[in-house]
Amino acid sequence: MEALRQDDPRRFGRFTALARFHEGASAVRYVARDTATGEVALVTAARPELAAVPVFSRRFRAEARTAERLAGGWVSPPVDTGEEPEAPADGPEPLWTAAGYVPALPLAEAVAIAGPLPERALRILGAGIAEILSRVHASGSVLQGLAPGTVLLAADGPRLTAFGPLGAAASAEVGPGGQLSVRLGYLTPEQIEGKEVSAASDLFVLGLLLAYAATGTTPFTEGPAEEAARRIAEDEPELDAVPDPLRELIASCLAKDPAERPAAGTVAAELALEGAAGLARGGWLPERLAAAVTDQEARVLALEPPEEDPEPEAEPEEAAGAEESGPEDTPEPEDARPEDPRALPEPQDARTAPEPEDARPLPVPPADASPADASPVNAPASQAPTAAPVSAPASASDGDIGEDRGTTRFLNTGPRPPQNDRPTTQLALPHELTAPPGTALVPAAHPMPPALPAAPGTPQQPQQPQPQPQPQQLHQRPSHTQGGPAPYPAAALPAGPAGPGGPGGGPMVSLPLPPAPAPAPDPGASRRTLLTIAAAAVGGLVVGGGSVAALGSGDTAAATDDKPAPKPRRTLPGQAPEPRWIYAHPASESSPLTTAVWQDKLLVVTSESQASAVDLRTGKRLWQRADGAKGQAALAAGDDLVFVASPTEFLWLSPKNGKVVHRMRYTEAFADLPGLTVGRLAGSSGPVIWFTGSHTVTVKAPKPKKGEKKEKDKEVVQAHFFAYDIVQRKELWRTAVPAGRSPGTPVYRVVAERSADVLVRQDAVSLTAAEVKAAKGKGSVRSFDQKTGKLLWTKKYGAASLEAATTGDEDGTLYAAVGRDLQAFEADTTKPLWRVEGSDGSWFGTPLIAGPLIHTTERSRLVGAVERESGRLVWRRSTEVPGIGNAPSLTLSSSEKTLIAADAIQVTVFSAADGERLWKFQDIGSADPKGATVSAPYRALAFGETVVVQRDRSFYAFPVA
């Protein structure tokens, strides 16, 4: 953390800035406090120069939306998106987002403090990040957000703070006409060859991060800098210092061929089978890091809003004069040293140096220049979280002790790579995107201000001298800013056809981005706004042939060269297969209420406005019918009709065109129950459906006695439980049952159907207050005669609660969640049969019966299988979704070979026989910055060799066994 600077914003909506947490190329993160609640948050604010560029603004908000959709577990949930700020009169609209503050250290800082991480910590770090990547990759997206500065280490596990190229950018530049160029800090072999990035590219970078965390260095730095590209593309990584149990896995992540790298889910499972959260229980950080995290938390809690600096800012004339002065006589800007009483004095011998100028070669240094006058590529993160540009000369007090330059060491741990030369830096941006004189680019990272005070009672640490760079010159680009190493040193590459500054520039790496929807083009705009994405190491390494990925107004990411599109990469283990089709429910219609598969031919969707059908072979909509508005899940009424229960009538629709073939209004079908309200269907079996209904009757007051006043008539709700044949279209039976909570219809669910009876459980939300009190916390199951509907008995099972998940089988066994365990009972006698222990702090959801097995699901995101007869555990696996939530809902494929677990975060697919994790899927929703956040849970419907995965309006048909 650092003290605030004079030009830092003090307010972000309801948050007051307290301190700087981290500075990146495209944004600055601040520790801030909610003025109303006192809640501490981490605010990410875009640099104003970049926020003014429309394509940057759209991308920033899109990445913020991605963070919001990934919230939970190892992603801190946003508390404010800052989407409706008041733009200042003289500047661009501010861009910021706030997430809950979690005390944590950037990975680079952690390695600087305690050195390489031990094996257990490496496993938790890698598993946590891989779990996030698995969720991102399941949607077909690529993260491109990993860097030592975007990965934090908290007391309970890792955190990720960047969700796209902007968050992990090593530099960002504004060029002519508002062009924006962003460089990432990492290259992969496929990028060097000019190929597109994929999910496997994220795995390569994960391998680099794990190698760095395990050794304190990266595996491709050994050797001449000019051969860096060849080493990345051809050489095996140096992993001798990586712990033996992890070496093979990290090496597989660093495989040259993307198809040979493991999937993120596979990496997570191999590192921590029980999940990162499970392995991290009881603490995971080394003692020094745990103490540093605790100290940071204490310092944050002690922070108070800084006093406003009364000094006026420099007059415009003075600022203009400062721009015209040369680098040698330019005084330091006032905001370089905040006048803060907490600030430590600057060392007397600290010298500053001018920044490099990218657009023209640097002067040749004198022959007698000392080697110490050249800055190392990697400025120590402990001195400056946002390093100065790599080719900036350093002072003699920069800590360089003249060690061998052949190896890269980070954070003052040893030798550094050689300074890149001018041709290499020039290749970082094509000539046509280089700003002409007079066009200012994004200012370089500010020098590190004095440190914040230590927490109360904490001794002050001696401060190292801080070299102070001069104000940014035109055309300079910030260097690597993520607080950690680039994976390899800069390499000199051949210049373009006209030399280093010639028109050809240098080859750029194609880094396509997932498209962010853009508003309609501004007809008044004179030039297209572009976002150019290039990959570069700290020193500006840009290698490989290919194209530049560009985003313009209304454009999607596309290569600017004429190369054919690459062939789709084969499916990797853990990655969802290609969907057979994708269907998007129209945005002009209301969201789906229910979905059902009809005869393995149609997907019938009901909404507030209509019922519609989608062809299960093609994913194309066939028809829609307004009569089916607000209908319940469609069922098969024989082989040729679709049955839908609407709020006022039963409908039988033609599967070909949705035409109403039969209509039975409740007022006609149940004429003796005027005003009948039909509740949710309780269940179905073949042509028979069961449901509840209620209506209100007037009970006449008794005739008063002589001299007494007549009482008022009473309105009483009467409820019934029905059985109805949807093929014969007739009522089979009805039986009176107690009315439920207002408005009066009880909500039943059939938990088991047997030859003689049907077992039913009432949802706790529909119980009356009197029923809840009488139950004394225990739930019950009712038995109704199959033929007559007569209530046979009502029983309670052990300590199963009112909300306990319950199901049963045709053999007379009932399975119920009891406390944290799953227990089997004889349905007729309530005798306990066996018990399966659950995990601490969790409970079981509704199990799924499949032949000799019963598949289990837990709130701790564990899915498993036990033998129905004995309760013996066959297998148990985690979905790898961190944290605690609702237990995933379970669906079996038609062959019963594949088990699908769906929750609010993702869909995880297992082999039903042995629990092998097959793949995961997550739809993170629309990338539209102003689009609604999708929070609906996933649903899965199986038919044939396909499973349809739904989340809100989106439907995906995946092949399954």
Side-chain angles (χ1 to χ4, degrees):
M1 287 191 300
E2 309 170 12
L4 294 174
R5 299 171 185 165
Q6 285 183 337
D7 59 350
D8 281 330
R10 270 23 182 196
R11 293 295 297 270
F12 298 95
R14 69 180 194 266
F15 297 98
T16 300
L18 304 177
R20 280 177 163 241
F21 187 83
H22 179 268
E23 182 174 8
S26 63
V28 179
R29 295 204 297 269
Y30 298 91
V31 176
R33 181 175 290 126
D34 189 321
T35 54
T37 66
E39 173 190 12
V40 179
L42 207 59
V43 174
T44 300
R47 294 185 181 278
E49 302 88 345
L50 301 177
V53 181
V55 71
F56 177 91
S57 175
R58 291 195 298 272
R59 179 60 54 181
F60 182 91
R61 294 202 186 283
E63 293 187 12
R65 292 284 186 181
T66 300
E68 191 171 356
R69 293 179 180 97
L70 292 174
W74 311 126
V75 176
S76 297
V79 294
D80 197 329
T81 57
E83 290 194 357
E84 298 180 359
E86 294 183 3
D90 57 349
E93 177 180 311
L95 289 173
W96 60 273
T97 182
Y101 165 73
V102 177
L105 301 173
L107 174 60
E109 183 179 338
V111 174
I113 292 173
L117 299 181
E119 180 189 337
R120 179 169 173 268
L122 288 170
R123 287 184 176 276
I124 295 167
L125 169 65
I129 300 303
E131 287 168 4
I132 300 174
L133 290 179
S134 179
R135 295 165 59 195
V136 174
H137 295 168
S139 68
S141 302
V142 182
L143 182 68
Q144 292 184 271
L146 296 182
T150 67
V151 175
L152 307 182
L153 309 186
D156 60 345
R159 294 292 190 280
L160 185 62
T161 60
F163 306 94
L166 294 187
S171 69
E173 301 173 337
V174 179
Q179 291 177 341
L180 177 67
S181 178
V182 174
R183 293 188 302 160
L184 301 179
Y186 293 88
L187 287 179
T188 63
E190 56 268 27
Q191 291 171 321
I192 292 174
E193 297 174 3
K195 299 178 181 179
E196 293 184 357
V197 294
S198 64
S201 303
D202 282 337
L203 270 297
F204 189 90
V205 179
L206 176 60
L208 290 171
L209 286 179
L210 290 178
Y212 166 64
T215 65
T217 186
T218 45
F220 293 108
T221 57
E222 195 69 40
E226 61 272 13
E227 297 182 7
R230 181 196 60 76
R231 292 198 301 273
I232 299 162
E234 300 176 6
D235 289 1
E236 293 301 315
E238 296 290 336
L239 300 175
D240 292 344
V242 174
D244 291 342
L246 302 181
R247 191 174 303 148
E248 182 178 351
L249 179 61
I250 294 177
S252 67
C253 291
L254 297 174
K256 307 303 180 188
D257 183 356
E260 295 181 0
R261 296 172 201 156
T266 301
V267 173
E270 290 195 25
L271 289 173
L273 185 60
E274 65 272 55
L279 187 58
R281 287 194 183 101
W284 70 292
L285 293 175
E287 185 176 349
R288 292 181 64 185
L289 296 184
V293 170
T294 302
D295 176 69
Q296 180 195 102
E297 181 178 18
R299 294 170 65 195
V300 167
L301 293 177
L303 286 174
E304 295 295 337
E307 297 180 1
E308 296 291 339
D309 192 342
E311 286 192 31
E313 296 184 1
E315 295 296 327
E317 294 80 359
E318 296 175 3
E323 284 186 359
E324 296 173 0
S325 61
E328 295 183 359
D329 58 358
T330 300
E332 284 201 351
E334 288 299 322
D335 62 357
R337 298 190 186 94
E339 296 297 333
D340 194 316
R342 300 170 295 177
L344 296 178
E346 292 292 324
Q348 296 298 322
D349 59 346
R351 295 186 294 169
T352 61
E355 300 277 357
E357 299 182 36
D358 253 357
R360 55 180 182 271
L362 288 176
V364 178
D368 58 349
S370 168
D373 291 335
S375 172
V377 172
N378 283 322
S382 57
Q383 293 184 1
T386 55
V390 297
S391 52
S395 68
S397 61
D398 66 356
D400 191 335
I401 58 175
E403 294 174 295
D404 174 28
R405 297 298 184 101
T407 306
T408 300
R409 297 278 295 280
F410 305 104
L411 305 165
N412 277 337
T413 59
R416 302 161 183 146
Q419 175 184 347
N420 62 298
D421 59 9
R422 180 51 39 193
T424 304
T425 305
Q426 180 61 28
L427 285 176
L429 195 64
H431 179 74
E432 62 270 19
L433 295 184
T434 303
T439 303
L441 301 187
V442 179
H446 291 281
M448 182 176 179
L452 290 168
T458 303
Q460 291 280 359
Q461 299 294 325
Q463 301 293 318
Q464 298 295 327
Q466 306 293 334
Q468 300 292 331
Q470 290 288 356
Q472 174 73 6
Q473 303 298 311
L474 297 181
H475 321 305
Q476 293 170 359
R477 62 169 58 91
S479 67
H480 183 69
T481 58
Q482 296 303 327
Y488 27 72
L493 297 177
M508 298 290 288
V509 176
S510 175
L511 284 180
L513 289 173
D522 181 4
S526 59
R527 305 186 67 173
R528 171 189 281 182
T529 302
L530 295 178
L531 170 60
T532 303
I533 308 297
V538 168
L541 172 63
V542 179
V543 296
S547 60
V548 178
L551 285 180
S553 299
D555 291 343
T556 56
T560 57
D561 62 4
D562 297 327
K563 292 183 178 180
K567 295 180 180 179
R569 183 167 58 85
R570 70 176 178 85
T571 300
L572 296 177
Q575 182 174 332
E578 287 293 323
R580 303 185 192 275
W581 50 258
I582 300 175
Y583 168 71
H585 191 72
S588 59
E589 301 176 10
S590 54
S591 295
L593 295 176
T594 69
T595 55
V597 169
W598 182 87
Q599 298 286 57
D600 288 0
K601 297 177 181 179
L602 297 180
L603 179 71
V604 182
V605 181
T606 66
S607 68
E608 292 281 348
S609 57
Q610 62 189 7
S612 58
V614 176
D615 190 331
L616 285 175
R617 297 172 303 163
T618 64
K620 304 295 184 182
R621 178 186 272 195
L622 298 178
W623 50 261
Q624 58 261 20
R625 177 64 58 179
D627 301 77
K630 301 181 181 179
Q632 301 193 48
L635 299 171
D639 296 330
D640 54 358
L641 291 176
V642 179
F643 172 83
V644 175
S646 82
T648 60
E649 59 189 348
F650 290 152
L651 298 172
W652 287 262
L653 308 178
S654 167
K656 296 180 179 180
N657 53 24
K659 180 181 178 181
V660 178
V661 179
H662 302 289
R663 187 192 305 268
M664 184 71 72
R665 292 184 173 88
Y666 301 148
T667 55
E668 300 170 358
F670 310 100
D672 58 330
L673 301 175
L676 178 69
T677 299
V678 173
R680 189 184 71 193
L681 297 184
S684 65
S685 177
V688 179
I689 62 172
W690 296 281
F691 61 93
T692 54
S694 65
H695 73 124
T696 302
V697 297
T698 301
V699 178
K700 296 289 185 179
K703 185 176 180 179
K705 296 180 180 180
K706 186 176 181 179
E708 293 183 354
K709 186 177 180 181
K710 183 181 179 180
E711 298 180 1
K712 292 184 179 181
D713 296 341
K714 294 183 179 180
E715 300 291 322
V716 177
V717 176
Q718 294 181 348
H720 295 83
F721 184 43
F722 297 84
Y724 191 93
D725 190 314
I726 61 176
V727 172
Q728 300 183 44
R729 300 194 298 279
K730 70 175 185 179
E731 179 182 343
L732 300 179
W733 51 256
R734 78 177 72 161
T735 186
V737 295
R741 185 187 299 270
S742 179
T745 304
V747 179
Y748 282 5
R749 184 173 65 86
V750 174
V751 296
E753 181 197 5
R754 303 189 294 183
S755 58
D757 63 352
V758 57
L759 304 185
V760 174
R761 182 176 174 84
Q762 183 173 350
D763 283 2
V765 293
S766 68
L767 293 170
T768 64
E771 289 174 325
V772 172
K773 182 177 180 180
K776 298 181 179 180
K778 294 184 179 182
S780 59
V781 172
R782 295 183 175 101
S783 169
F784 293 90
D785 187 275
Q786 276 272 30
K787 294 182 178 181
T788 65
K790 178 183 177 181
L791 177 64
L792 301 178
W793 48 255
T794 300
K795 297 181 184 296
K796 297 181 179 180
Y797 296 87
S801 68
L802 293 169
E803 300 85 8
T806 307
T807 194
D809 59 28
E810 69 283 358
D811 297 330
T813 304
L814 205 67
Y815 310 92
V818 180
R820 70 172 191 177
D821 302 331
L822 180 69
Q823 197 163 354
F825 301 88
E826 284 186 355
D828 294 316
T829 66
T830 72
K831 175 184 176 181
L833 301 176
W834 48 256
R835 178 191 299 266
V836 175
E837 291 187 359
S839 51
D840 292 337
S842 182
W843 57 77
F844 282 88
T846 303
L848 180 64
I849 298 170
L853 299 179
I854 178 169
H855 292 288
T856 63
T857 175
E858 297 182 55
R859 185 170 177 258
S860 57
R861 314 297 174 93
L862 292 175
V863 175
V866 299
E867 292 180 350
R868 285 171 60 184
E869 188 69 26
S870 64
R872 184 183 69 86
L873 182 64
V874 178
W875 59 265
R876 181 181 285 174
R877 300 283 186 273
S878 170
T879 63
E880 299 175 354
V881 174
I884 296 291
N886 290 329
S889 61
L890 302 180
T891 304
L892 271 174
S893 64
S894 298
S895 67
E896 298 191 351
K897 294 180 180 179
T898 305
L899 180 68
I900 302 98
D903 57 25
I905 304 297
Q906 70 182 25
V907 172
T908 312
V909 178
F910 300 87
S911 167
D914 56 14
E916 177 188 0
R917 274 183 291 260
L918 302 178
W919 50 267
K920 300 180 181 181
F921 174 76
Q922 183 188 47
D923 170 21
I924 62 175
S926 170
D928 182 359
K930 296 186 181 299
T933 298
V934 178
S935 58
Y938 290 89
R939 299 174 183 172
L941 301 97
F943 70 96
E945 296 181 344
T946 304
V947 60
V948 175
V949 172
Q950 177 205 357
R951 194 183 195 199
D952 195 32
R953 299 176 180 272
S954 299
F955 297 80
Y956 304 82
F958 293 106
V960 293

